[in-house]
Amino acid sequence: NRPNGGSLVIVECSEISSVNERITGFEETIADAGFEIVERIDTKRDDSFIQGKLISLLAEGRDIDAIMCGNDRLAVEVLTSLETAGRDDILVYSVGGSPDVKSALADPGSPMTGVGALSPITMGKTAVQTMSALLAGSMYETETFVETFIINRDNVNMYGTDGWQ
C-alpha cells in the first residue's frame, strides 16, 4: 500500500526465534526501498508493554505510516493500542493468519491491512510425512519450508475468520 516507502515501527519479541526470522526477512525485503524504521518495540514476551510504548510514540507526534508485527498476538495488541489512541490511519501488518487478525481484516474500519499467512494444517501434514519417513527409515528432508501467502481485505472471505487456513 506504500510502494514508495514510508516510516515504519517494528513490533518484535527478541526471545522468540520465529519472530526474529520473520522480522529479519522483512527487513531484508524492504532494504533500499525507501522505508525508514523509526522505532522498534521489543516486547521481550511482555505484550502489555506495547500499548504504553505505542501510545507514547503517537503522543510525541511521531510520523508512522505502518507497523510490522512479528506475529498475530503482537498485532492484536497493536490494534488495541491504535483503537485506544483513536488512530485508524496507520497500516498494520503481521505474520500468522489467526482468526482474530482475519476478523480485523474483514472489518473495513480496522487499520489491519495484511497478514503473511501460515497454514498450521499444511505444517502438520508436512510434519507427519517427515515423521513417517523417519520411522520407516526412508529418506526425508532435514529442513522443510512451508509456503506462505498474503491475506488482505480482498481475499479474507476466501479464508474465513472462524479458524486457521
Side-chain angles (χ1 to χ4, degrees):
N1 282 357
R2 300 225 185 251
N4 298 320
S7 56
L8 302 174
V9 170
I10 292 181
V11 179
E12 59 192 337
C13 179
S14 61
E15 297 182 8
I16 300 176
S17 62
S18 62
V19 170
N20 290 332
E21 291 172 11
R22 293 169 185 170
I23 294 301
T24 298
F26 172 75
E27 289 180 292
E28 289 171 356
T29 301
I30 65 165
D32 302 320
F35 292 96
E36 177 189 3
I37 298 169
V38 296
E39 189 73 40
R40 300 179 91 85
I41 300 174
D42 185 351
T43 67
K44 299 188 190 309
R45 293 192 187 257
D46 182 2
D47 297 350
S48 64
F49 178 71
I50 295 170
Q51 186 164 356
K53 182 66 174 173
L54 190 52
I55 289 175
S56 291
L57 289 173
L58 296 171
E60 292 170 11
R62 299 289 291 271
D63 181 30
I64 302 170
D65 295 314
I67 301 172
M68 175 59 187
C69 304
N71 66 28
D72 286 351
R73 191 185 78 241
L74 301 174
V76 168
E77 289 295 321
V78 165
L79 292 171
T80 300
S81 301
L82 292 174
E83 184 177 339
T84 299
R87 299 286 300 267
D88 62 0
D89 59 322
I90 299 172
L91 308 176
V92 178
Y93 294 89
S94 183
V95 179
S98 70
D100 288 341
V101 165
K102 291 188 297 184
S103 292
L105 278 170
D107 176 0
S110 171
M112 192 70 217
T113 306
V115 59
L118 310 168
S119 174
I121 294 167
T122 301
M123 293 164 72
K125 287 179 182 179
T126 302
V128 168
Q129 290 168 348
T130 302
M131 177 73 83
S132 295
L134 179 66
L135 292 173
S138 303
M139 298 290 292
Y140 61 93
E141 294 293 327
T142 57
E143 188 172 65
T144 305
F145 297 94
V146 176
E147 196 77 22
T148 61
F149 47 94
I150 297 292
I151 299 176
N152 58 29
R153 281 199 176 84
D154 295 336
N155 65 5
V156 68
N157 289 333
M158 183 171 81
Y159 295 101
T161 59
D162 59 349
W164 287 84
Q165 50 287 337

